[in-house]
């Protein structure tokens, strides 16, 4: 069985960047658009399907306050899609008026979202997170304002233009060349929940160098044969997760970074496959099992693990 690409990495709509500066076109497009509404806390309206899963609810333009900034996301079959950010009180009011809706975070409903929902909400959240953090010019400190339908900010003092930022982060499945893979958990993870290792790329560093450095810093293990597999946007607040596989090079003994890592270990395919089943069944076994859960399919970490379990890397 071929493992499908990471859920948030599939491009499902035309970003149609040529229209971002065309105010007349944008105004006309808004009137026939579908709207992704989110809050400052990156929650969005969802509704439950028959199987109990939650899916994104899109709004009509008439349901959106007139003063909400409109950020053009793109086109699907000539239908324009925009994102808007609503104040929390307005979102609460809308939720009260719409029976059966819940405002959930991407983490809460992302596992059930289809490719279009995922693509739209990731872009909407990433833009909102960037706007929240860049209200002032990094050059002179003056206020910046949105332009080009939300895709740039312009300084009101020196007219400098600022673009959305994306922070590259590496995430890697490390294996021993045989039947074991290295998984760890940070202090924020509960007992029994393990994942692949990850970390941000530093200035002047290659992606492969970041993989080797992060693994050594976090668990004291050296790696070789570092290979890129796939990427996934992760807008919390602005990461692009770059997925790699790497092979143990030398001593497998683990030395934990006590700040970054609470636990780490080498686990067999059988152990990881069992934990995958428990995760998918939303079942947590007895605490005598060291490895009881891994990330859900929603994450690129799970994609890397599944590729290794399927002997595809």
């Amino acid at each position: 069985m071929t493992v499908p690409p990471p859920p948030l990495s599939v491009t499902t709509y035309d970003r149609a960047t040529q229209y971002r500066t065309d105010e007349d076109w944008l105004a006309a497009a808004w009137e026939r658009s579908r709207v992704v509404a989110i809050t400052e806390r990156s929650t969005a309206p969802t509704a439950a399907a028959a199987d109990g899963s939650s899916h994104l609810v899109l709004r009509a333009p008439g349901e959106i306050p007139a003063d909400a900034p409109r950020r053009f996301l793109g086109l699907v079959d000539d239908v324009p899609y925009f994102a808007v950010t609503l104040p929390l009180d307005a979102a609460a009011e809308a939720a009260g008026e719409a029976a059966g809706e819940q405002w959930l975070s991407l983490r809460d409903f992302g596992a059930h979202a289809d490719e279009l929902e995922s693509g739209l909400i990731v872009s909407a959240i990433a833009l909102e997170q960037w706007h929240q953090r860049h209200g002032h010019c990094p050059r002179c400190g003056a206020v910046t304002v949105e332009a080009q339908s939300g895709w740039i900010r312009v300084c009101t003092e020196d007219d400098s233009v600022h673009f959305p930022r994306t922070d590259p982060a590496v995430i890697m499945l490390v294996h021993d060349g045989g039947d074991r893979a290295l998984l760890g958990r940070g202090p924020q993870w509960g007992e029994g929940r393990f994942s692949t290792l990850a970390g941000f790329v530093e200035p002047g560093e290659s992606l492969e160098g970041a993989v080797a450095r992060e693994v050594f810093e976090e668990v004291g293990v050296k790696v070789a044969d570092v290979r890129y597999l796939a990427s996934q946007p992760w807008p919390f607040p602005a990461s692009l997760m770059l997925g790699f596989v790497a092979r143990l090079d030398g001593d497998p003994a683990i030395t934990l970074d006590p700040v970054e890592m609470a636990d780490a270990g080498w686990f067999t395919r059988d152990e990881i496959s069992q934990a995958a089943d428990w995760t998918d069944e939303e079942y947590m076994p007895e605490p005598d099992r060291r490895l009881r859960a891994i990330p859900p399919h929603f994450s690129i970490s799970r994609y890397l693990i599944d590729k290794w379990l399927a002997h595809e890397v």
Side-chain angles (χ1 to χ4, degrees):
M1 179 185 72
T2 301
V3 177
L8 301 183
S9 66
V10 179
T11 300
T12 53
Y13 62 91
D14 178 5
R15 291 177 178 249
T17 58
Q18 69 272 23
Y19 295 122
R20 292 177 184 172
T21 58
D22 189 334
E23 295 298 333
D24 291 338
W25 185 93
L26 290 168
W30 171 257
E31 298 303 322
R32 60 187 181 89
S33 70
R34 308 292 302 282
V35 184
V36 180
I38 62 172
T39 68
E40 298 101 320
R41 294 180 181 173
S42 298
T43 57
T46 66
D51 61 0
S53 62
S54 296
H55 291 271
L56 183 66
V57 174
L58 297 171
R59 298 283 195 238
E63 300 175 79
I64 303 300
D67 59 349
R70 304 168 187 174
R71 297 162 186 165
F72 175 59
L73 299 179
L75 296 168
V76 179
D77 297 329
D78 200 41
V79 176
Y81 285 80
F82 284 77
V84 299
T85 302
L86 301 179
L88 292 173
D89 55 350
E93 181 180 343
E97 295 174 352
E101 284 189 10
Q102 282 187 294
W103 286 72
L104 301 176
S105 73
L106 178 60
R107 289 185 174 94
D108 294 326
F109 76 90
H112 306 295
D114 61 30
E115 291 180 353
L116 177 57
E117 292 172 344
S118 297
L120 292 171
I121 194 65
V122 166
S123 293
I125 292 173
L127 274 177
E128 170 58 22
Q129 292 284 326
W130 176 67
H131 283 295
Q132 284 185 24
R133 289 163 172 77
H134 292 80
H136 291 82
C137 176
R139 294 172 56 175
C140 70
V143 171
T144 59
V145 294
E146 292 191 34
Q148 293 191 16
S149 196
W151 287 94
I152 67 171
R153 295 190 73 92
V154 180
C155 177
T156 55
E157 183 66 28
D158 63 20
D159 294 325
S160 58
V161 176
H162 306 277
F163 295 87
R165 310 306 303 166
T166 297
D167 301 321
V170 291
I171 183 166
M172 42 276 181
L173 186 288
V174 178
H175 64 88
D176 66 355
D179 192 50
R180 298 186 305 164
L182 176 61
L183 302 179
R185 65 177 183 87
Q188 72 277 15
W189 280 57
E191 291 281 349
R193 295 182 179 273
F194 286 78
S195 180
T196 50
L197 306 182
F200 285 102
V201 181
E202 293 187 345
E205 185 175 46
S206 70
L207 300 177
E208 294 82 359
V211 169
R213 175 184 55 77
E214 284 288 346
V215 173
F216 187 75
E217 287 178 355
E218 293 186 350
V219 295
V221 167
K222 294 182 178 181
V223 297
D225 190 23
V226 178
R227 291 182 290 131
Y228 170 78
L229 293 183
S231 64
Q232 181 187 64
W234 193 246
F236 299 106
S239 297
L240 176 64
M241 306 302 296
L242 300 152
F244 289 82
V245 62
R247 176 178 48 79
L248 171 69
D249 183 20
D251 190 350
I254 292 172
T255 303
L256 294 179
D257 176 337
V259 176
E260 295 288 336
M261 304 298 296
D263 194 7
W266 292 97
F267 299 97
T268 67
R269 274 194 172 85
D270 286 343
E271 290 174 314
I272 297 173
S273 181
Q274 180 65 77
D277 291 341
W278 287 331
T279 301
D280 295 345
E281 296 163 4
E282 298 184 348
Y283 166 71
M284 182 65 79
E286 294 301 316
D288 61 335
R289 297 296 296 263
R290 184 183 179 195
L291 175 60
R292 287 171 272 160
I294 60 174
H297 289 287
F298 173 49
S299 70
I300 190 172
S301 177
R302 179 60 178 270
Y303 168 80
L304 299 176
I305 292 171
D306 285 348
K307 291 281 282 186
W308 181 75
L309 288 176
H311 297 272
E312 292 182 12
V313 295

